[in-house]
Amino acid sequence: MSSIRTRRVPTDRLTVQITETRDEGEPVVFVHGNVSSSAFWHTTLPLLPDHYRAIAPDLRGFGGTDPLPIDATRGLRDHSDDLAALLTALDVDRVHLVGWSLGGGVVMQYLCDHPAAVRSLTLVNPVSPYGFGGTHGVDGTLNSEDGAGSGGGTANPEFVTRLAEGDRGEDSPTSPRSVLAACYVKPPWRPEQEDENTYVESMLTTRTGDDHYPGDSVPSPAWPGLAPGTRGVLNCLSPVHFRIDALHLVDPKPPVLWIRGEDDVIVSDTSMFDLAHLGSIGAVPGWDGTPAQPMVAQTRHVLDRYAAAGGTVREVAVPDAGHAVHLERPEEFRAALLGILSA
């Protein structure tokens, strides 16, 4: 941990807080997930050999980066464009990208927008290329034209309240600490106490509200009665705003590593955060038979098309690990990551 440092970098879009290991070397950029910050990469960055320059930015609305509003109608392009502006400010032209969860969607979008600038792409338990919620089938078919079942209205309101109030306790299953322990990692594994506090504090940097987390929503005639709005982080992940349909068309095609914990309950074909799956098990009332989103199968479908079009893809499924596989199984993660960086 002593080998990393944090600073704020002005860009032509916003000022971004980054954590990095050194000023020189082959750049590797780590993009964090939702309700977190670059702190979730702090134990990963020092694992890289000295000839790599590890950089982990905070996305807008998280950590120490300027909390500018998120225009969800652009999908993840606000985040992708912020990343491009940061790399320009750092004078970095080509880069290895590593994206976890939400960050996986950000780096997929960046690859689509700047294929020649990407040396390799590593997806860590990534959000589906067809967004989060509101679709069925491996090709991401919408359950409803308005995206019902995705977006800002799908967040647990008690979790949002506890997040906004800075709840650091564990007396409720919806507290940030409880969600970290039950969903970010596979129980009963827990980070070391010091690190655990770091991660809870990281979660609590999340800006809440309609412009940030979770975002706004609108009524829908389709089950479950809510559709995505146009602002905030969950809406930028809605399939009506974010879809990676053409990854197989990018040129050139950098090698792709997809690494995931097999017991992930967040990004899963039976996600405990997908209202359709929750409805099917009786946790959300009034379920009308809307199918759960096959998130893992959708990612595999998109990456299979990428491989069939000439790209190189390696899938690594880590048993007995959850959503934060890079924290739970650091040595296996490091080995897989160094494999693609050296390739």
Side-chain angles (χ1 to χ4, degrees):
M1 296 293 290
S2 62
S3 64
I4 64 175
R5 65 189 184 195
T6 298
R7 63 185 174 107
R8 283 169 54 82
V9 180
T11 77
D12 62 7
R13 288 175 57 82
L14 77 174
T15 297
V16 179
Q17 180 164 294
I18 67 171
T19 300
E20 61 187 343
T21 53
R22 56 188 58 84
D23 293 327
E24 298 180 350
E26 201 169 314
V28 185
V29 174
F30 295 80
V31 184
H32 66 81
N34 199 8
V35 192
S36 67
S37 73
S38 61
F40 276 78
W41 294 116
H42 283 185
T43 58
T44 303
L45 305 188
L47 298 180
L48 293 188
D50 289 345
H51 60 276
Y52 291 109
R53 177 188 181 187
I55 305 166
D58 292 335
L59 298 174
R60 66 167 63 192
F62 302 97
T65 290
D66 289 350
L68 298 189
I70 298 171
D71 179 359
T73 65
R74 305 188 70 232
L76 290 175
R77 284 190 172 87
D78 271 356
H79 298 304
S80 175
D81 289 350
D82 290 348
L83 179 57
L86 171 65
L87 295 179
T88 296
L90 295 175
D91 197 27
V92 171
D93 55 357
R94 297 189 70 223
V95 64
H96 299 279
L97 292 178
V98 183
W100 170 49
S101 195
L102 161 68
V106 174
V107 299
M108 282 189 276
Q109 185 64 63
Y110 190 92
L111 173 59
C112 290
D113 296 340
H114 310 279
V118 180
R119 301 188 63 148
S120 71
L121 188 76
T122 296
L123 304 173
V124 186
N125 295 75
V127 64
S128 164
Y130 300 116
F132 199 99
T135 67
H136 65 274
V138 296
D139 58 352
T141 302
L142 285 170
N143 296 334
S144 173
E145 288 187 2
D146 62 3
S150 69
T154 64
N156 184 309
E158 185 176 347
F159 173 69
V160 177
T161 297
R162 289 177 178 272
L163 194 65
E165 293 176 348
D167 184 352
R168 292 169 173 80
E170 202 170 358
D171 61 338
S172 166
T174 59
S175 74
R177 187 179 300 278
S178 296
V179 172
L180 169 68
C183 303
Y184 281 38
V185 299
K186 182 184 177 181
W189 189 87
R190 298 286 291 262
E192 300 265 343
Q193 186 64 32
E194 180 179 354
D195 288 338
E196 182 185 335
N197 288 334
T198 297
Y199 300 142
V200 172
E201 294 302 320
S202 169
M203 296 170 73
L204 293 176
T205 67
T206 303
R207 274 62 167 189
T208 57
D210 287 349
D211 284 326
H212 300 291
Y213 180 85
D216 61 342
S217 63
V218 297
S220 171
W223 186 88
L226 291 171
T230 61
R231 302 150 59 196
V233 68
L234 290 190
N235 292 315
C236 73
L237 289 170
S238 166
V240 297
H241 301 311
F242 170 70
R243 293 179 69 86
I244 302 292
D245 281 319
L247 196 69
H248 62 291
L249 298 179
V250 301
D251 184 34
K253 290 180 173 62
V256 175
L257 167 66
W258 174 26
I259 181 168
R260 58 185 180 84
E262 288 188 341
D263 297 318
D264 187 355
V265 299
I266 297 178
V267 176
S268 167
D269 289 351
T270 53
S271 169
M272 298 304 292
F273 290 73
D274 176 16
L275 292 187
H277 173 65
L278 292 175
S280 73
I281 62 174
V284 175
W287 181 59
D288 64 351
T290 298
Q293 180 186 7
M295 302 177 187
V296 174
Q298 289 175 349
T299 298
R300 185 173 292 112
H301 171 70
V302 168
L303 294 181
D304 282 349
R305 293 175 73 193
Y306 185 86
T312 300
V313 177
R314 182 188 179 204
E315 177 182 351
V316 177
V318 181
D320 202 32
H323 189 59
V325 64
H326 58 294
L327 300 182
E328 298 169 75
R329 306 292 277 276
E331 290 305 318
E332 290 174 58
F333 178 77
R334 177 182 185 273
L337 178 60
L338 292 183
I340 193 171
L341 297 183
S342 61

